[in-house]
Amino acid sequence: AQSVTQPDIHITVSEGASLELRCNYSYGATPYLFWYVQSPGQGLQLLLKYFSGDTLVQGIKGFEAEFKRSQSSFNLRKPSVHWSDAAEYFCAVGVYNAGNMLTFGGGTRLMVKP
Amino acid sequence: DADVTQTPRNRITKTGKRIMLECSQTKGHDRMYWYRQDPGLGLRLIYYSFDVKDINKGEISDGYSVSRQAQAKFSLSLESAIPNQTALYFCATSRAGMTDTQYFGPGTRLTVL
């Protein structure tokens, strides 16, 4: 069965600093991979997704992620964090044989220091 | 107006009560999903529906049931609520493609005392 691990439960960065959130997946075939963001009191919003092609994917709000098959990773990055980026971030893998059902990681909560 | 709405947004209930959470969407999508979110566990799939006549159990369906009243409406019921069903519940919708984005509602926070 597929699984997603986000090793960091909490991360704190200073405003203006760079950010990398880690995501490792386990899946027997080429995965479809997603990053979602959940702002306080809100639902989840898609940041970006990967399903083929260029392994560096650009998303909204200045985020990008890189798919590395050899490391089973799909880490999310942003060169300069803004205070409004404080939120919880979820990585997910799409399951091939059952439509586009998603398996989510446990999430990483990002705090931004002024 | 929001594309995916959930009612109620917050609910406190007692053990043994029947609860229904409702989801409506205006995106015209065929597929709808119910997830629950628990701290540290991310979101886990409860039920999903590919169309009005196609409803399937997800990872954690025990204790829950669903009804797809129309393309736009998908309800989740807890027949006899228990405290470990206290969680944040999300509805989502999508088109049918493998890479299509799931769009989430704002969530319902349910507390079972």
Side-chain angles (χ1 to χ4, degrees), chain B residues 36-56:
Chain B
R36 65 175 279 175
Q37 181 184 8
D38 299 279
L41 297 179
L43 280 74
R44 292 178 292 166
L45 184 64
I46 305 172
Y47 271 94
Y48 60 101
S49 171
F50 285 170
D51 63 41
V52 174
K53 295 183 179 180
D54 185 359
I55 294 177
N56 304 278

Side-chain angles (χ1 to χ4, degrees), chain A residues 32 36 38 49 99-101, chain B residues 33 37 48 90 98-99 102:
Chain A
Y32 294 146
Y36 280 86
Q38 182 183 23
K49 61 185 177 182
N100 56 345
M101 299 201 319
Chain B
Y33 311 80
Q37 181 184 8
Y48 60 101
F90 287 103
M98 183 65 221
T99 62
Q102 289 190 20

Side-chain angles (χ1 to χ4, degrees), chain B residues 9-81:
Chain B
R9 294 293 310 278
N10 289 281
R11 181 72 183 268
I12 299 174
T13 191
K14 295 182 178 180
T15 297
K17 294 292 188 181
R18 184 179 188 275
I19 295 296
M20 178 179 285
L21 310 182
E22 298 185 334
C23 176
S24 295
Q25 52 112 347
T26 59
K27 299 190 74 68
H29 291 166
D30 285 327
R31 296 187 173 187
M32 298 187 73
Y33 311 80
W34 275 105
Y35 293 90
R36 65 175 279 175
Q37 181 184 8
D38 299 279
L41 297 179
L43 280 74
R44 292 178 292 166
L45 184 64
I46 305 172
Y47 271 94
Y48 60 101
S49 171
F50 285 170
D51 63 41
V52 174
K53 295 183 179 180
D54 185 359
I55 294 177
N56 304 278
K57 294 182 177 180
E59 178 187 355
I60 53 165
S61 60
D62 287 349
Y64 302 94
S65 62
V66 291
S67 172
R68 185 83 183 265
Q69 300 95 325
Q71 186 205 35
K73 296 185 181 296
F74 193 36
S75 299
L76 176 72
S77 293
L78 288 66
E79 297 300 327
S80 179

